[in-house]
Amino acid sequence: MSRSRADTLEAAGIVVGCAILVALPMGALFGIYQDGFFLSWWLSLLALTPGTILGFVAVSDSRLTYTHVWRFGVTHWITAVLLWQGLGIEDGQETLALASWGGAFVVGIVVAAASWWLPKLRK
């Protein structure tokens, strides 16, 4: 079956949106390992890869929607920022930064999974 141009553009937007949403907290995490404002090209590529893969999954699988990715990405980003600010993480505290990023990742997964399971439980 052939896709219309609008469907193709929507799918591309979902993939790009997923890549950006998932890369935000990952890019910040990689930023503690680099002195400059911008990440190197290979760290940028590494930060964009999981979200890009997730975007293709969201486009091809109806069970994972862009809303789930949105909830994961935003929750993960906000939680990571709040943890880093609350814990006062600075350069040289990579282990603490990684641990708090991992905790934020888990919170993002829980929020995304809850948004997937709650409508099923209400039925």
Side-chain angles (χ1 to χ4, degrees):
M1 184 167 135
S2 175
R3 290 182 107 167
S4 71
R5 179 172 286 189
D7 289 341
T8 303
L9 289 175
E10 179 185 20
I14 289 171
V15 172
V16 169
C18 288
I20 292 169
L21 280 171
V22 175
L24 283 173
M26 190 172 283
L29 176 68
F30 289 153
I32 65 171
Y33 295 105
Q34 187 158 329
D35 293 333
F37 181 73
F38 292 106
L39 296 176
S40 63
W41 69 269
W42 65 273
L43 281 177
S44 297
L45 184 63
L46 186 61
L48 290 170
T49 300
T52 303
I53 293 168
L54 193 61
F56 280 112
V57 170
V59 167
S60 65
D61 187 6
S62 62
R63 292 178 292 172
L64 177 67
T65 66
Y66 189 53
T67 304
H68 298 120
V69 177
W70 229 105
R71 288 182 179 148
F72 167 77
V74 171
T75 304
H76 185 195
W77 172 244
I78 290 172
T79 306
V81 168
L82 290 175
L83 283 172
W84 290 343
Q85 291 296 320
L87 296 173
I89 296 173
E90 298 176 5
D91 289 342
Q93 296 177 315
E94 286 85 5
T95 304
L96 184 58
L98 186 58
S100 63
W101 182 86
F105 183 86
V106 170
V107 170
I109 292 288
V110 167
V111 168
S115 72
W116 191 76
W117 280 102
L118 284 178
K120 295 181 183 314
L121 293 175
R122 290 183 184 153
K123 288 182 180 181

